[in-house]
Amino acid sequence: MKDIIIIGAGTAGLTAAIYGQRAGLSCTVFEKYAPGGQIVNSPSIENYPGMFGVSGYDYSMALFEQAQKLGAEVQFAEVQNVDFSGKVKKVITSAGDFEAKAIIIANGAARRKIGCKGEDSFEGRGVSYCATCDGAFFRGKTVAVVGGGESAFEETEYLSEICDKVYLIHRRDVFNAAKTAVDSVLKKKNVTVLTNSVIEEIKGENAVSSIVLKNRANGSTAEIPLFAVFIAIGLVPENKLFSGVLKLDDYGYIDSGEDCLTDCKGVFAAGDTRKKQLRQLVTAASDGAAAATAAANYIRKNF
Ligand SMILES: Cc1cc2nc3c(=O)[nH]c(=O)nc-3n(C[C@H](O)[C@H](O)[C@H](O)COP(=O)(O)OP(=O)(O)OC[C@H]3O[C@@H](n4cnc5c(N)ncnc54)[C@H](O)[C@@H]3O)c2cc1C
């Protein structure tokens, strides 16, 4: 039996493994795709303290190697089911069943997609799901933000400070964001709000150069030249596995605070998978450290 099983080898999971191993505990990380998680295909990271311009791939591999050098075991298998009912916790994976004294769930979240033509092929080349991460690459240029909620307004506000022009595109004519956020964006001279509108296609050659926009009210279409499309229509937590096992919030995130504790003793949640304000590498790393430390304290007291 391992001391800690960690679900997910993204920033939160691998940081948890680093802290767990350094606390003298044996950690096994299960990863269903590749180490690094969401960031692995990002061309450049500019907002992680102490690193500037490192590619998502290089960052992911460095983190992966660091965890392994400290003795963490990484198994490439999907966690398909869990049994947290006893003191010893069980995970059922595509590589068999495993037991541990504590579990850290670091399975991240997926960006919700709009599903239009060009969205997948231009990801990382003008299509982004994170203005804080990629906005600086489009300084002084024309960009669009898609969405009508809090995050779309935050992204628009942020981009309006660094970009020449920002289109805010929303499929409805009412917004789902705080009035203060809406009012602030509507006052911006370089922001144009296009309601009742959906992107039909994102076009370009090597990178994004325009979008085809359809007006849902009158059916007309127009092509708008721009350099980037920031899609801010939410994240999708992938926590069906834990529904009925752990308390989730209304959006499906694990209901856990900064201490990373869940409502099940011995089970901790770290990174984008848990309820939180800011989903970034630095907060995922912070959670990984907090969750492993909490798991180490739990194991010392209970085993
Ligand atoms: C395109 C893009 C660019 C970004 N750029 C930046 C940036 O520049 N700076 C920044 O701070 N943040 C950036 N972010 C956000 C950042 O990547 C996330 O906040 C961070 O990756 C969250 O880390 P995590 O470990 O919680 O989850 P994730 O990175 O999502 O990792 C979770 C891992 O768990 C695995 N997993 C899930 N379910 C299972 C299962 N059942 N069994 C086994 N494995 C499983 C997944 O395959 C994944 O590898 C970006 C995000 C995207 C999408």
Side-chain angles (χ1 to χ4, degrees):
M1 178 171 59
K2 286 279 175 177
D3 289 322
I4 306 177
I5 282 178
I6 298 164
I7 306 175
T11 294
L14 290 173
T15 307
I18 290 166
Y19 274 73
Q21 289 294 140
R22 294 195 78 243
L25 301 168
S26 58
C27 300
T28 294
V29 186
F30 287 98
E31 170 54 52
K32 65 176 173 178
Y33 296 137
Q38 290 168 60
I39 200 67
V40 75
N41 292 321
S42 185
S44 179
I45 303 167
E46 294 193 344
N47 60 359
Y48 194 87
M51 289 190 335
F52 186 84
V54 177
S55 75
Y57 179 81
D58 287 348
Y59 162 79
S60 298
M61 289 308 128
L63 196 52
F64 179 45
E65 274 173 29
Q66 188 178 354
Q68 286 183 307
K69 273 184 187 155
L70 288 164
E73 180 193 8
V74 181
Q75 286 220 24
F76 290 97
E78 180 175 0
V79 174
Q80 295 170 330
N81 212 339
V82 294
D83 179 356
F84 296 159
S85 56
K87 188 174 172 192
V88 171
K89 312 296 177 202
K90 295 182 189 151
V91 296
I92 293 89
T93 82
S94 50
D97 300 354
F98 298 85
E99 292 183 338
K101 295 172 187 166
I103 304 283
I104 296 175
I105 302 168
N107 59 337
R111 251 57 183 182
R112 198 184 296 277
K113 299 198 166 198
I114 49 179
C116 72
K117 195 173 167 198
E119 181 178 12
D120 284 342
S121 47
F122 287 112
E123 186 172 338
R125 294 185 297 135
V127 170
S128 169
Y129 298 85
C130 178
T132 326
C133 321
D134 300 329
F137 300 119
F138 302 97
R139 191 174 293 277
K141 305 224 157 123
T142 298
V143 302
V145 174
V146 182
E150 209 64 59
S151 60
F153 277 86
E154 274 174 23
E155 308 257 270
T156 305
E157 181 84 40
Y158 176 79
L159 291 167
S160 71
E161 300 297 325
I162 54 176
C163 295
D164 186 44
K165 184 170 180 58
V166 184
Y167 291 100
L168 174 59
I169 298 166
H170 183 38
R171 65 193 169 93
R172 298 195 297 142
D173 57 2
V174 284
F175 299 113
N176 200 14
K179 189 176 179 308
T180 47
V182 175
D183 288 348
S184 168
V185 160
L186 293 181
K187 273 191 221 141
K188 302 262 178 193
K189 288 207 169 63
N190 64 341
V191 174
T192 301
V193 179
L194 301 168
T195 53
N196 284 320
S197 299
V198 288
I199 296 183
E200 284 206 321
E201 185 177 355
I202 299 171
K203 295 169 78 171
E205 286 196 6
N206 294 324
V208 170
S209 60
S210 69
I211 52 170
V212 178
L213 201 65
K214 180 173 182 180
N215 184 308
R216 295 171 78 221
N218 60 23
S220 64
T221 57
E223 188 162 345
I224 300 177
L226 43 65
F227 289 88
V229 182
F230 290 88
I231 298 164
I233 54 174
L235 282 172
V236 203
E238 294 176 307
N239 285 331
K240 282 200 191 84
L241 262 183
F242 310 112
S243 164
V245 178
L246 299 175
K247 190 171 174 214
L248 307 181
D249 75 3
D250 292 345
Y251 303 96
Y253 293 104
I254 298 174
D255 194 351
S256 163
E258 295 295 311
D259 54 13
C260 298
L261 306 186
T262 69
D263 61 335
C264 176
K265 279 194 179 137
V267 178
F268 305 84
D272 279 11
T273 192
R274 76 167 181 86
K275 189 169 88 174
K276 56 161 58 190
Q277 286 294 324
L278 182 65
R279 292 190 169 84
Q280 289 278 276
L281 297 171
V282 72
T283 56
S286 160
D287 276 7
T293 307
N297 289 338
Y298 167 82
I299 290 170
R300 274 186 207 110
K301 281 186 197 141
N302 292 281
F303 285 88

